[in-house]
């Protein structure tokens, strides 16, 4: 695995992604938690093919700004770029766009974990 790995995840905003449905607001717009989940998905997918057998990644920290609203039917993308690797820590730059417009940005930390060991802690 090396820095520079990148992935873009896409969603079309519908009622399930709305602030009203997610309880984070009372308007029919893309909920911040939905945008954050899309960013996390992009980071997870950027490195998934490069992990050893039995490993996955889990989110540890995310810091984002949600800069602009997106209405129902809008197509939103989130791109994650792996910027730094420190052992099992993976540091990403994340951005969300609606078309050419930046609607969110931030940083995200994920940890590489062994699936079985991780689940045995529950």
């Amino acid at each position: 695995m090396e820095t520079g790995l990148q992935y873009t995840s896409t969603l079309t905003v519908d009622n399930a992604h709305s602030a009203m449905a997610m309880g984070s607001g009372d308007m029919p717009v893309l909920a911040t938690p939905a945008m954050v989940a899309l960013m996390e998905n992009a980071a997870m997918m950027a490195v998934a093919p490069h992990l050893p057998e039995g490993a996955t990644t889990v989110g540890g920290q995310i810091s984002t700004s949600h800069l602009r609203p997106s209405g129902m039917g809008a197509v939103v993308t989130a791109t994650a770029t792996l910027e730094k690797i420190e052992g099992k820590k993976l540091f990403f730059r994340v951005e969300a766009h609606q078309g050419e417009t930046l609607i969110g940005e931030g940083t995200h930390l994920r940890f590489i974990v062994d699936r079985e060991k991780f689940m045995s802690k529950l």
Side-chain angles (χ1 to χ4, degrees):
M1 186 177 317
E2 56 189 51
T3 59
L5 293 174
Q6 192 174 72
Y7 190 88
T8 300
S9 296
T10 304
L11 73 76
T12 300
V13 180
D14 63 21
N15 287 333
H17 307 113
S18 74
M20 292 176 356
M22 299 193 103
S24 65
D26 61 3
M27 294 196 294
V29 295
L30 176 66
T32 301
M35 180 192 73
V36 168
L38 191 66
M39 290 172 162
E40 286 200 73
N41 178 263
M44 176 188 72
M45 297 300 292
V47 297
H50 306 278
L51 296 172
E53 183 75 26
T56 190
T57 60
V58 295
Q61 187 273 335
I62 191 160
S63 176
T64 65
S65 296
H66 194 166
L67 306 169
R68 298 186 60 109
S70 299
M72 297 296 105
V75 176
V76 174
T77 60
T79 301
T81 305
L82 181 59
E83 292 194 323
K84 184 168 70 168
I85 303 166
E86 287 182 0
K88 294 186 181 285
K89 292 181 182 179
L90 306 174
F91 297 86
F92 295 87
R93 171 84 182 142
V94 289
E95 292 186 352
H97 288 86
Q98 180 182 330
E100 297 297 316
T101 304
L102 180 69
I103 65 164
E105 61 184 341
T107 58
H108 180 40
L109 168 65
R110 294 188 75 78
F111 294 93
I112 300 170
V113 298
D114 178 273
R115 288 177 185 272
E116 279 189 33
K117 287 180 185 174
F118 186 84
M119 294 304 292
S120 73
K121 296 177 181 181
L122 299 179

